Amino acid sequence: MAVEEHESLLSRLCDTEARVVFFPVRHHSPMCAAMVSKLILDLRPAAVLIEGPSDYNPHLDELRLTHRLPIAIYSYFGDETGRRRGAFYPFCEYSPEWQAMRAAESIKAEVRFIDLPWVDVADIDDMTHRYADAELRRGRYVTLLCERLEVESFDDLWDKLIEAEPILSPHEFLRRVHSFCTNVRVWEDAPRQSDLRREAYMADEIRRAMAEFKGRLLVVTGGFHSSALVQRLETAIDHQPQESELHPSAPDDASTSTPPKITDRGIALTAYTYERLDSLTGYNAGMPNPGFYDHVWQAQSQGKPFGHRPLLAELALSLRERKQVVSTADLIAVETSACTLAALRGRQHVWRSDLVDAVTSALIKDELEFGCVSPFLDAVHRVLRGDKRGQLAEGTRRPPLVIDIRNQLVAAGLEPTNSRNTVELNLLDSNDLAKSRLLHRISVLELAGFNLKGGTDFLSRKDLTRLWETWEIQWRYEYDATCVEAARYGATLAEAAATKLLELAEQHQHEAKVAAELLVTAARADVHGLSDRLLSQLETLIRREPNFLDLAAALGHLLYLFCHDEIFGTARNPRIGAVAIEAFHRALWLLESLGTTGDERKLIAAMRALQETYERGSDRLELNRDEYVAVLTRVEQAADKLPSLRGAAAGMLWTLGESTSERILERLLLFANAEHLGDFLNGLFALAREVAQRNPQLVQAIDQLLLEFASEEFQSALPSLRLAFTYFTPREKHYMLKTLFDSLGLSDLKPLTELAVDEETAAMALVFEERLFAAVERYGLNQAEGGVAT
């Protein structure tokens, strides 16, 4: 763009006497908020047109209620592919859009949102925070300007040009921001197709307002769009977006694709927080450190000069609460450094980056490694972030899902309150089971304030002697917001839970184990309408699953649901049975392909899943015994398989009655060395525990082999031997010892073979053992590197 053309465009953009006045903003900018309020009060336009979701216009009165900011407009939809998405338009007190609405209301001007509904642009724009200024951050112009003005980032650049300046006149503000944003646009290679589509829509809305209102219009949009809107209005293009804008194609694809059909959509208010608004925690659409700019805004609103010392005092308090040593001398050093840095940077006030850099230089004594977080920097960012949390006013419209959730929780007596409520559920009781299903649906949607603290683990199934759950329910601030945001999944709790589970299944569409776990979750949440779709997907995944361990885990879940799950109503389900058969045969095929490496503990557990499937489901599932035995026989005989795997296969055949004691002893001799004996017995005992402990010949053979070991060999074999014998209970090991002594004619050694313990001692031992195992599990001591128990 030529200089003359640029100056002409800038002149038209800054013309406050024009019929349509364009006010450029950076979202969540206090200076923009202050300036737009002043301009509205000065110009008194007939209507204020704001970049915001036009499909919220029928509900604008809700924004006039007495909300506590920050809040957000939440737009959501579902399409024919089953995809569910949502996006936010956040407002805080110093948001220019919010102040524009307040100022317009004070002069009785019409307020209207003019942006294209997000639902209609979501197919090419996946930004979920709609007040984004990412387009201002990118590009060569910003990079060159940062270098010229010697600042590190776009945020520092904006502060230097706009926020940290003394109060600008409206004219100087408009010229400075319009010039900056126009140059960013001019230097950009090409605007995004989503921006072009939105700008075409906004220009059309402005024309419609020009025809409707006789007075002046003020258009409040992101500064990136202002020059494009002026040019669109001046060139009098057709009111409808061009076809290339409505259906943009990928650069390398000349064809156009039709986006999936929208099946349902909604829009509502939700509470928000400064933590979510902060760009430093992932929000890429506005000013960083909202607590700092809120402090700036409050000072401006009260007509006071900005002062950084209240923030410094808050920082000191935050550090001391975190038990960080910070002395008066340290604070003086931070104050001195911050003031010096502000002066060097040509500022009249200590600013955000000055505080951060001062803390870094004055308080952090050691070098920070990459990826490490300093508690001092963490504290300063926490103070600058702020802790404000919004709250919706009474009378705010709620999505249907929110109403359904509340009604169901009230009916069940489970509505969260400020007091912590611990709920014990007996899953054999029909009323408690209904409550469990309700809570699991809520858990699927990840609503805040509902935590499953304990109970029967239906995934590991270590203890099914008691079917119970303990839930902890307490109202949390995020509860209302998570309810609203879950509305994208459906209008009722059952529908929403089913849709969310399907979404999770899509995210793991290459993992049979995860799909089977989701099937268990669906059963617990009583989402049976979902089961057929999950089962179809799981069946496809099983046919493609390359991992024996994951497939065996999926098989275990399917077996439980088919054989045992009377509680959740899936027992004897023929569809689950069919998928279990598919998984069983696929697992047998994968078993034969295993090599000489792998986590032996997990492999043995997977073999046990195969064994349990055959033992419990051979009749009901009509499993092929001949195929099962043939595969196990080939694995047992394969020299290229792990000793533990061959031992497990031998144990399974022995348990089935397809192998004899003599054959087991022959196999044992193949592994009669210190390196492999324990591994073979580990697999054998895991899968043939009952028959092994009652076979005197096996016990004698093991004893004889150990007696032949040299001292060094025995020490080498001891760890794996210990692991192998952990499959037996103390009483079973005692029985094996007695069997050995009897076979050796040493049965008169009663002190060694008698096991007489009174009930009190036994009970104390069991309690101690339970606590010990729990501690081992908690601290991760049950498995060392390489899968060997320690």
Side-chain angles (χ1 to χ4, degrees), residues 413-428:
L414 298 173
E415 190 175 22
T417 63
N418 290 328
S419 301
R420 183 177 300 170
N421 181 22
T422 300
V423 180
E424 299 276 353
L425 299 177
N426 174 11
L427 301 185
L428 296 176

Side-chain angles (χ1 to χ4, degrees), residues 50-60 62 73-77 87 89 112-121 130 201 205 262 264-268 397:
I50 300 172
E51 179 188 332
S54 57
D55 51 341
Y56 192 76
N57 282 329
H59 313 294
L60 277 176
E62 288 185 332
I73 296 174
Y74 181 63
S75 175
Y76 55 93
F77 73 91
Y89 297 79
R112 189 169 294 171
F113 286 149
I114 60 169
D115 200 359
L116 182 67
W118 174 68
V119 176
D120 298 328
V121 77
R130 301 308 302 162
Y201 185 90
E205 289 295 296
I262 302 299
D264 57 90
R265 60 194 292 173
I267 194 165
R397 182 178 48 91

Side-chain angles (χ1 to χ4, degrees), residues 235-275:
T235 53
I237 62 173
D238 186 78
H239 289 194
Q240 298 300 320
Q242 298 177 10
E243 183 67 20
S244 62
E245 296 166 348
L246 287 173
H247 300 291
S249 56
D252 57 348
D253 183 5
S255 65
T256 59
S257 58
T258 303
K261 181 181 178 182
I262 302 299
T263 54
D264 57 90
R265 60 194 292 173
I267 194 165
L269 289 182
T270 184
Y272 219 66
T273 67
Y274 272 3
E275 184 176 1

Side-chain angles (χ1 to χ4, degrees), residues 539-598:
E539 191 169 24
T540 301
L541 290 176
I542 283 170
R543 291 170 181 158
R544 300 173 181 170
E545 179 60 63
N547 189 297
F548 174 67
L549 296 179
D550 287 347
L551 188 58
L555 178 60
H557 298 323
L558 289 166
L559 178 67
Y560 171 74
L561 291 173
F562 181 78
C563 292
H564 308 291
D565 195 12
E566 289 86 359
I567 291 293
F568 303 120
T570 60
R572 315 295 186 274
N573 184 307
R575 189 80 176 85
I576 294 177
V579 179
I581 293 171
E582 187 77 35
F584 181 78
H585 291 301
R586 175 72 175 176
L588 288 178
W589 185 83
L590 289 174
L591 174 60
E592 287 199 81
S593 67
L594 293 176
T596 57
T597 60

Side-chain angles (χ1 to χ4, degrees), residues 379-451:
V380 73
H381 284 308
R382 180 180 177 185
V383 169
L384 297 181
R385 178 188 306 138
D387 58 2
K388 281 193 174 182
R389 295 177 169 184
Q391 183 175 352
L392 298 180
E394 288 294 328
T396 305
R397 182 178 48 91
R398 300 288 198 269
L401 175 65
V402 178
I403 298 170
D404 185 51
I405 290 172
R406 183 179 183 280
N407 290 341
Q408 291 198 42
L409 289 174
V410 169
L414 298 173
E415 190 175 22
T417 63
N418 290 328
S419 301
R420 183 177 300 170
N421 181 22
T422 300
V423 180
E424 299 276 353
L425 299 177
N426 174 11
L427 301 185
L428 296 176
D429 179 89
S430 59
N431 290 330
D432 281 2
L433 180 59
K435 291 180 181 180
S436 170
R437 289 168 170 170
L438 170 61
L439 291 171
H440 277 287
R441 290 178 180 181
I442 285 173
S443 179
V444 166
L445 294 177
E446 300 180 274
L447 304 187
F450 297 82
N451 296 304

Side-chain angles (χ1 to χ4, degrees), residues 9 14 38 61 92 101 112 117 121-122 261 264 316 356 366 393 415 449 531 649 670 724 790:
L9 175 59
C14 296
K38 185 176 187 334
D61 284 344
C92 57
M101 285 187 284
R112 189 169 294 171
V121 77
K261 181 181 178 182
D264 57 90
V356 175
D366 302 317
E415 190 175 22
S531 298
L670 295 175
T790 57

Side-chain angles (χ1 to χ4, degrees), residues 11 56 123 182 256-257 336 432 457 485 546 556-557 681 688 755:
S11 176
Y56 192 76
D123 59 307
T182 301
T256 59
S257 58
T336 302
D432 281 2
D457 187 341
E485 291 163 31
H557 298 323
L681 291 177
L755 184 64

Side-chain angles (χ1 to χ4, degrees), residues 598-619:
D599 187 324
E600 297 186 51
R601 181 179 60 87
K602 292 181 179 179
L603 287 170
I604 290 172
M607 295 287 280
R608 191 183 292 116
L610 274 176
Q611 182 186 53
E612 185 180 0
T613 301
Y614 187 82
E615 287 177 349
R616 299 184 182 277
S618 58
D619 294 334

